[in-house]
Amino acid sequence: MTIPLGFITRYAIPLVVAALFLGDVDIPQQVEIFDKTQRLADETLSKARGEGEGPPESFDYIIVGGGSAGALLANRLTASGENLVLLLEAGGDPNPIMDVPYAQRYYWDSVMDWNYTTVKQNRSCHLMGGNCIWPRGKALGGSSSVNGLLYNRCKPKDYDLWANFTGDQSWSWASIKDTFNSFENYHGFHEETAGANHGYGGEMYVGKIDYLPGVEVFEEALREKGIPTGDLNGGEEFTYGFSKIDYNIKDGLRWGTYQAFLDPILNRSNLVIYRYAYAIRVETISLGGREHRAVGVTYERHGAIRTALAQKEVILSAGVVESPKILMLSGIGPKEHLDELNITTIVDLPVGKYLQEHPGLDVTGTKGGFRLNTTLGKDYNTSEAVLQFLQNGTGPMNGFSYETGYAPQLMMGYLNSSFNQDRAWPDVHIYIHEKYEASPEEWEEMYFSMELVRPNSTGTIKLGSSDWNEKPLIDPNFFEDMNDIEKMVDVIVIMMDLFMNSETFQRYGIEQMDVYEACSEEEFLTRDYWRCLVQQRSFPYFHPTSTCRMGPDSSVAVVDSKLKVFGVPNLRVVDASVIPFVPSGNTNLPAMLIGARAAEIILSGQ
């Protein structure tokens, strides 16, 4: 057996084997040890350099946050060698164990997670007592270092909506699709027919996983019901139906923005990265009237408070939670809210408002999904599977294991509720899962999960206090608009028909899922039952946006279409928080797009 050199250099193979197969290694503890070792090395290096001694350091640009947008932006701004850039990252390097897709479950509650929770929700997250978990990546690469790696460009009409709202057609699909292609290196399921719909040779690798037990069965059921299949990332050509899922996986390993945009350029002399540097506030000076200038960032690192100066711009790429938090701590935000916390308002802007997120759920009963009378995925937990992964990065280990067990995603799809009249712009996103259980009794099942991608409800992010150490108050306000529940129920009905009333699944002895106990008082399979299930089992799908949204003016937005903060023109926000309305899919790719567009805008002098 030949093991690729990249595997050896990226992590210790014995640890990976033990973690993924033998199951006798405490991975959360290993994550902690890795982080503590990193911190110690980083602190020793900063002391050796004399960091913090003498006058403040000065840079051309300061980027706060090395996530999906910030990593790409740092790459582009330093490419010519002309700009000196400081990248402040609150976390460290991503833990190498997280490169293995199967190890994703070990991310929860680790040092690579900000470990946020929401305020109590009335109509969602009942499984969690109403306080939803709100995971966000805390490492170089941001959430792309811990996410499910699903490659999703969203829908062309999402970007047209951004363009129409801002009044800037440079954000339209026709304008930005070439930007997508510029950083893409597509080798997914539709490579042979992709043509101009995808890019080749960019930094962001798009691959696929090969272990899809039962996918042919589901594809047959789709054909029977007349639901089309195609490339859902192919732009205008195919927007409704199902696709096999492309992933940001290369040679069996995670390929996030750290691997694509930062790791190759760590030796650039004009890029300075301070890990474990937590940004506290943006420093500004008044230019008279309502104009201010950002002059630097104050941050905490290894217990010391320091300030770095920016000669050109300060750029917040800290994410949907931290970017608004930093702005508000800097006096940029809703005056009424800042007054409550005795923070002097510099610019009165709707920071933290308009929060949107996809609520979603696994549609199962108390005991699981639809049981079948066959075995599709029995071979995942074997020594052969581990060896196959170590040899060539394929097989069951090149997939994702969840808290509820190993359940490979077979396909994703987009369907329309009765509330949506535009078939080319669906409002519900579906995932199909296969799951095999060996004990206490052997069974094979499929189930579907879903997320509402065009919600009407909006929420807020507010400061908990003026103390920068305190976590903000996150309120997604799920299902404030009750029609959001009805949209999800509509599509549950469609999916139930596909599974239970298709000859395909009847040939495999499909059994109806059992009643979910918390909804047992409602008549089983009625709309009232599904309404109950949505509220009981729903949770955030970890695609938040819009807390610093871009728009036409300061009454409804925080930044303009060039991502400049109103009233502070050399301060920009470049991350998913600027998206005006949550898009129809995962936000990792849209965040990368924003980083790439910001680089184009800045380097062109706008």
Side-chain angles (χ1 to χ4, degrees):
M1 179 183 73
T2 301
I3 299 175
L5 180 61
F7 264 76
I8 299 173
T9 58
R10 286 174 70 173
Y11 52 75
I13 289 176
L15 175 59
V16 175
V17 174
L20 300 184
F21 178 60
L22 301 178
D24 59 356
V25 173
D26 185 350
I27 293 301
Q29 182 182 25
Q30 297 294 329
V31 172
E32 295 281 354
I33 292 173
F34 177 85
D35 185 72
K36 289 178 180 178
T37 303
Q38 260 202 333
R39 282 180 178 273
L40 180 60
D42 187 85
E43 186 173 4
T44 301
L45 182 61
S46 68
K47 289 180 178 178
R49 289 174 174 170
E51 182 191 331
E53 299 176 4
E57 294 180 284
S58 181
F59 303 85
D60 293 314
Y61 295 94
I62 299 176
I63 302 173
V64 178
S68 295
L72 196 157
L73 182 60
N75 181 297
R76 296 293 189 263
L77 291 187
T78 56
S80 69
E82 296 177 1
N83 297 310
L84 180 59
V85 175
L86 171 64
L87 177 61
L88 299 175
E89 169 55 48
D93 290 345
N95 192 301
I97 195 69
M98 293 302 301
D99 287 354
V100 182
Y102 192 80
Q104 186 203 18
R105 69 188 186 275
Y106 298 123
Y107 155 65
W108 305 106
D109 298 322
S110 77
V111 293
M112 288 179 64
D113 185 359
W114 282 93
N115 293 309
Y116 299 124
T117 56
T118 71
V119 301
K120 192 166 186 177
Q121 302 294 293
N122 294 322
R123 301 190 181 113
S124 65
C125 299
H126 290 187
L127 285 172
M128 308 162 196
N131 298 101
C132 314
I133 61 170
W134 197 270
R136 296 281 85 198
K138 188 178 183 182
L140 290 170
S143 292
S144 80
S145 291
V146 296
N147 66 1
L149 293 169
L150 186 148
Y151 185 81
N152 191 327
R153 286 185 170 190
C154 302
K155 293 287 163 278
K157 292 195 175 183
D158 291 317
Y159 304 102
D160 292 341
L161 178 62
W162 302 6
N164 293 335
F165 181 69
T166 61
D168 185 345
Q169 290 304 307
S170 70
W171 288 100
S172 69
W173 172 252
S175 298
I176 59 93
K177 60 184 178 181
D178 287 342
T179 304
F180 264 131
N181 288 349
S182 71
F183 60 79
E184 182 178 85
N185 188 9
Y186 185 77
H187 300 281
F189 279 107
H190 306 278
E191 184 174 8
E192 293 183 0
T193 58
N197 291 327
H198 289 284
Y200 309 91
E203 299 97 333
M204 181 48 62
Y205 192 91
V206 183
K208 55 193 175 185
I209 60 177
D210 64 303
Y211 186 71
L212 301 173
V215 67
E216 298 86 359
V217 176
F218 185 73
E219 288 177 316
E220 183 180 350
L222 290 174
R223 287 191 294 270
E224 180 185 336
K225 291 293 183 178
I227 299 176
T229 59
D231 180 9
L232 286 169
N233 286 310
E236 308 97 321
E237 295 183 6
F238 186 76
T239 59
Y240 168 87
F242 280 80
S243 284
K244 290 180 181 176
I245 302 173
D246 294 330
Y247 290 92
N248 293 127
I249 292 176
K250 183 178 182 181
D251 299 328
L253 298 176
R254 176 179 297 276
W255 197 257
T257 55
Y258 173 78
Q259 290 82 7
F261 300 107
L262 288 180
D263 188 53
I265 66 167
L266 292 178
N267 291 328
R268 282 185 185 171
S269 60
N270 61 325
L271 174 62
V272 178
I273 300 177
Y274 285 165
R275 297 161 177 81
Y276 307 105
Y278 185 90
I280 297 173
R281 63 181 175 272
V282 177
E283 302 295 346
T284 60
I285 58 173
S286 174
L287 300 179
R290 297 182 178 180
E291 287 282 299
H292 294 77
R293 177 176 177 81
V295 295
V297 176
T298 294
Y299 63 96
E300 184 273 337
R301 188 174 189 229
H302 302 315
I305 306 294
R306 304 181 175 107
T307 298
L309 302 180
Q311 298 302 316
K312 294 181 179 178
E313 294 188 10
V314 172
I315 303 167
L316 297 183
S317 296
V320 173
V321 177
E322 288 297 317
S323 283
K325 179 183 176 182
I326 294 168
L327 285 177
M328 288 187 282
L329 288 173
S330 306
I332 302 169
K335 186 177 187 305
E336 181 180 1
H337 177 48
L338 299 184
D339 284 349
E340 293 172 348
L341 302 175
N342 295 317
I343 297 174
T344 301
T345 302
I346 295 173
V347 185
D348 185 5
L349 292 174
V351 175
K353 296 184 178 181
Y354 310 115
L355 170 65
Q356 284 199 298
E357 163 67 302
H358 298 155
L361 73 154
D362 297 334
V363 181
T364 65
T366 296
K367 296 181 181 178
F370 307 102
R371 294 199 187 186
L372 307 176
N373 63 5
T374 187
T375 298
L376 301 169
K378 191 173 182 178
D379 58 345
Y380 76 92
N381 194 24
T382 65
S383 58
E384 289 79 8
V386 175
L387 291 174
Q388 179 183 355
F389 178 70
L390 291 174
Q391 184 172 22
N392 54 35
T394 61
M397 294 299 169
N398 187 15
F400 298 92
S401 183
Y402 306 96
E403 292 296 317
T404 54
Y406 185 53
Q409 291 178 328
L410 305 182
M411 301 188 82
M412 72 171 185
Y414 280 97
L415 298 176
N416 290 299
S417 75
S418 64
F419 291 79
N420 185 39
Q421 303 304 312
D422 191 343
R423 186 181 176 88
W425 197 15
D427 54 355
V428 179
H429 194 198
I430 306 291
Y431 308 85
I432 307 302
H433 301 263
E434 177 272 346
K435 187 176 181 181
Y436 169 77
E437 287 286 349
S439 63
E441 58 177 306
E442 184 180 46
W443 81 78
E444 177 79 32
E445 71 175 80
M446 282 193 185
Y447 68 92
F448 64 97
S449 56
M450 60 191 301
E451 57 179 320
L452 179 64
V453 294
R454 304 255 306 284
N456 293 330
S457 304
T458 61
T460 60
I461 288 181
K462 296 182 178 181
L463 294 176
S465 76
S466 59
D467 183 353
W468 62 270
N469 284 293
E470 187 166 337
K471 291 182 179 180
L473 305 177
I474 303 170
D475 183 7
N477 203 17
F478 286 138
F479 305 128
E480 171 198 23
D481 188 323
M482 297 291 284
N483 286 334
D484 285 349
I485 296 176
E486 298 303 313
K487 295 174 187 177
M488 299 184 79
V489 171
D490 282 351
V491 175
I492 290 175
V493 171
I494 295 172
M495 293 300 298
M496 293 297 295
D497 175 69
L498 189 154
F499 276 99
M500 294 305 302
N501 297 327
S502 66
E503 293 182 4
T504 301
F505 279 112
Q506 288 173 5
R507 288 202 309 271
Y508 288 93
I510 190 169
E511 296 180 13
Q512 178 63 264
M513 65 180 69
D514 65 316
V515 176
Y516 186 62
E517 289 181 3
C519 298
S520 58
E521 293 185 3
E522 305 293 345
E523 184 180 351
F524 190 41
L525 304 184
T526 64
R527 289 187 71 92
D528 282 340
Y529 174 80
W530 296 125
R531 291 183 187 107
C532 174
L533 190 76
V534 168
Q535 295 180 70
Q536 285 289 331
R537 292 189 60 89
S538 60
F539 57 89
Y541 250 60
F542 320 137
H543 307 144
T545 67
S546 310
T547 52
C548 300
R549 71 176 181 176
M550 60 178 166
D553 57 61
S554 60
S555 66
V556 294
V558 176
V559 301
D560 64 18
S561 65
K562 306 306 179 187
L563 309 180
K564 295 180 178 180
V565 174
F566 290 110
V568 193
N570 75 322
L571 172 61
R572 299 190 206 237
V573 181
V574 179
D575 56 36
S577 71
V578 306
I579 296 174
F581 306 95
V582 66
S584 303
N586 305 44
T587 51
N588 189 35
L589 262 293
M592 290 186 217
L593 169 74
I594 289 164
R597 282 285 298 126
E600 294 171 351
I601 292 168
I602 293 169
L603 293 174
S604 66
Q606 298 180 61

